[in-house]
Amino acid sequence: MALGRLADHSTDLAEAVVKGDILPQLINSLVAHNRYYKRSAAFLLRTVSKHSPEFAQAVVDHGGVLALVLCLEEFDNEVKEAAVWALSSVAKHSEALSQAVVDAGAVPLLQLCLQDPEISLKRIAASTLSDICKHSAELAQAVVDTGVIAVLAQMTFKPDVKLKRQVFSALSQISKHSLSLAEMVIEAEVFPAALTSLRDQDDLVKKNVTSLMRDLVKHTAELSQVMVNIGGLGAVIDHLGDCRGALRLPGIMMLGYVAAHTESLAMAVIYSKGVQLLAACLSEETEHHIEAATVWAIGQIGHHTPEHAKAVASANLLPRLLDLYMDANSSVDLQTKSKKALKSILHKCTYLPALEPLLYNAPCNILKHVVCQFSKVLPHDSKARRLFVTSGGLKKVQEIEAEPGSALQEHINSINSCFPEEIVRYYSPGYSEALLERLDNFHPF
């Protein structure tokens, strides 16, 4: 126990335990001693393993995982709990270490721990299964093959908050890897009962539920439609309105995944006021990774059709996307996602009042897409042409300096062809000076 507390305290002390040849003696004598010794020994293995994959590998190499699995067959719950903690500390680091835990036969015994009356044992067993499943589809499948999904699904109804955190985390880690695993979670009837947990008082429960929903809907439009049909979309949007910061991230991504699949699903996000919610997230959040996820989700909504683009543009999001792209303080990922979202929305946007502000401060690589949309709409809309003149848009277009023969210049020429030549000349730079020069040279009779 003393060695365990020392190892728990720092990486250096844990390294001293590993290099001091304590592990072989400890593990070899683990089976022969009483439950108090086993509990303390498992604690030491846990505190050593938690610091790094190298230390966890040392525990595996000395047969520590096999000894811990034998401890799971003990009658004493405290011994089992200590052993499960230690296995979790090994499995969390990498796929290879998790595979060592699976190969030692831990998963069926962990499932039995889930069904134990002791609530603390249930919690750590669910957490350990989550740590195993997160690394790969093969490991998740090995866990699922023991029938663990049905057991986890029953536990979503438990009132214990800490248990629900781990249960939803484990279901999320299972669902994320493949469509077949996600379908198994859906078929276990986790929903719509899990939606009630979005009204839980605990933030981590709500975050893990939205993470589960995100990992389900990302696979196919059909799973996204299932989630929409059971009211999941509205529930997540309500949740996002009530939380801040990192708690929002899975829900924001869930909206993006739903919208990405089809036009109708993206419209469902719009009808559920998802665009307004994402606009609020952009104005309230300052962390670049959250802003990047929000920008990505907005792009997934707006890139389908002119109607989708108009919904995004009407929320005044295009100038905000441009600002994030041009801001030197934005991370590279945020700038990249902002540029991609902006271009994908602009390619569909025909709502000219939202495009016009971009004429004044967009860089050339964005400006050409803006001007292109004007060149598509103005030839067919007389009211838009009149508004374009009175609002100053035509004047601004004449001020753009484009390289001859470039795509931008061609779009400008297309716009100019929509107006009488004298109006184009009137708004061209230098026209007033030319008029004054003509006045100076004019001699009345």
Side-chain angles (χ1 to χ4, degrees), residues 292-304:
T294 307
V295 164
W296 169 79
I298 290 168
Q300 300 307 309
I301 295 170
H303 79 279
H304 289 287

Side-chain angles (χ1 to χ4, degrees), residues 2 6 11 24 39 66 78 102 113 118 145 156 188 211-212 219 265-266 275 295 320 362 366 374-375 383 393 396:
L6 287 170
T11 303
R39 191 168 62 202
L66 287 170
E78 291 185 353
V102 172
C113 291
E118 184 62 42
D145 288 343
T156 59
S211 296
L212 170 59
H219 293 292
L265 286 168
V275 174
V295 164
R320 179 61 176 148
I366 299 296
F374 279 102
S375 70
K383 291 182 179 179
K396 177 59 187 172

Side-chain angles (χ1 to χ4, degrees), residues 163-210:
L163 176 59
K164 286 200 291 186
R165 289 178 188 172
Q166 305 304 334
V167 167
F168 286 120
S169 174
L171 290 169
S172 175
Q173 299 296 354
I174 290 170
S175 302
K176 73 179 184 180
H177 293 293
S178 69
L179 174 59
S180 61
L181 289 170
E183 288 176 338
M184 291 176 74
V185 171
I186 288 286
E187 290 166 3
E189 299 183 356
V190 175
F191 293 95
L195 293 182
T196 59
S197 294
L198 277 179
R199 297 191 292 272
D200 199 282
Q201 294 298 312
D202 186 75
D203 287 338
L204 282 178
V205 169
K206 292 186 283 190
K207 182 182 179 182
N208 289 349
V209 171
T210 51

